[in-house]
Amino acid sequence: MARQRMSRSALPTRAEDVEAQYYDALQNGDLERLMAAWADEEEIVCIHPGGQRVIGPMAVRASFEAILADGGVAAVPEQVRRLQGAGVAVHHLVERLRVSTQEGPRQAYVMVTNVFVHTAQGWRMVAHHASPAGAEPPAMVQEWPSTVH
């Protein structure tokens, strides 16, 4: 399926804008808008929590199509940290998920790294790597002690 092209005036000017579009589309189950956040490159990669490496636009799309089959995903980005250089941005964060269980609604957390590159179409995601973090918000370690042992 061909991706809709955005007009030049609608091109994302910041990686943060693309990330916001990605999470809004994920929460609302909008596969087309979610995929518009991704670069149109054969080497894009997505690793869902506990999952395998999914490589290429068609495979990434198929994985999200399956995830969104029953509607949006209640994933809220928190503890967002950003690094940006010439044409590349790396965001690492925690996703807070609301999940349904037999005991009722619960929270789960996922540690995420999103990588963006600046393309002719503006900023686009090229990698999303998510790892399960459990039922409690993960601690953020900002400095390691100088003595390891």
Side-chain angles (χ1 to χ4, degrees), residues 95-99 106-110 134-136:
E95 286 179 3
R96 179 175 39 88
L97 301 171
R98 188 176 61 240
V99 295
R106 298 283 189 260
Q107 304 272 353
Y109 293 87
V110 178
E136 298 296 324

Side-chain angles (χ1 to χ4, degrees), residues 97-114:
L97 301 171
R98 188 176 61 240
V99 295
S100 296
T101 69
Q102 291 180 338
E103 294 81 34
R106 298 283 189 260
Q107 304 272 353
Y109 293 87
V110 178
M111 294 180 291
V112 174
T113 302
N114 292 323

Side-chain angles (χ1 to χ4, degrees), residues 5-14 17 21 120-122 124:
R5 297 286 176 197
M6 299 173 86
S7 70
R8 263 274 197 244
S9 62
L11 296 179
T13 57
R14 303 177 318 146
D17 298 333
Q21 172 186 327
Q121 290 77 41
R124 293 290 186 268

Side-chain angles (χ1 to χ4, degrees), residues 30-50:
D30 187 340
L31 181 62
E32 296 306 319
R33 192 156 178 255
L34 184 139
M35 289 309 299
W38 285 86
D40 194 16
E41 301 289 333
E42 289 305 312
E43 295 300 320
I44 64 172
V45 62
C46 183
I47 303 172
H48 297 293

Side-chain angles (χ1 to χ4, degrees), residues 11-145:
L11 296 179
T13 57
R14 303 177 318 146
E16 292 89 335
D17 298 333
V18 176
E19 190 166 63
Q21 172 186 327
Y22 169 84
Y23 281 105
D24 184 66
L26 184 65
Q27 292 162 3
N28 289 293
D30 187 340
L31 181 62
E32 296 306 319
R33 192 156 178 255
L34 184 139
M35 289 309 299
W38 285 86
D40 194 16
E41 301 289 333
E42 289 305 312
E43 295 300 320
I44 64 172
V45 62
C46 183
I47 303 172
H48 297 293
Q52 297 178 323
R53 224 170 30 150
V54 179
I55 300 171
M58 298 202 46
V60 169
R61 180 184 184 84
S63 73
F64 279 107
E65 197 167 30
I67 289 168
L68 298 175
D70 293 326
V73 176
V76 177
E78 299 179 342
Q79 300 179 28
V80 180
R81 305 297 290 259
R82 298 177 178 99
L83 304 160
Q84 186 163 332
V88 67
V90 177
H91 298 183
H92 52 98
L93 56 112
V94 174
E95 286 179 3
R96 179 175 39 88
L97 301 171
R98 188 176 61 240
V99 295
S100 296
T101 69
Q102 291 180 338
E103 294 81 34
R106 298 283 189 260
Q107 304 272 353
Y109 293 87
V110 178
M111 294 180 291
V112 174
T113 302
N114 292 323
V115 181
F116 304 87
V117 296
H118 194 265
T119 71
Q121 290 77 41
W123 287 95
R124 293 290 186 268
M125 185 181 290
V126 293
H128 173 79
H129 185 172
S131 298
E136 298 296 324
M140 187 168 21
V141 178
Q142 292 185 317
E143 293 186 27
W144 287 100

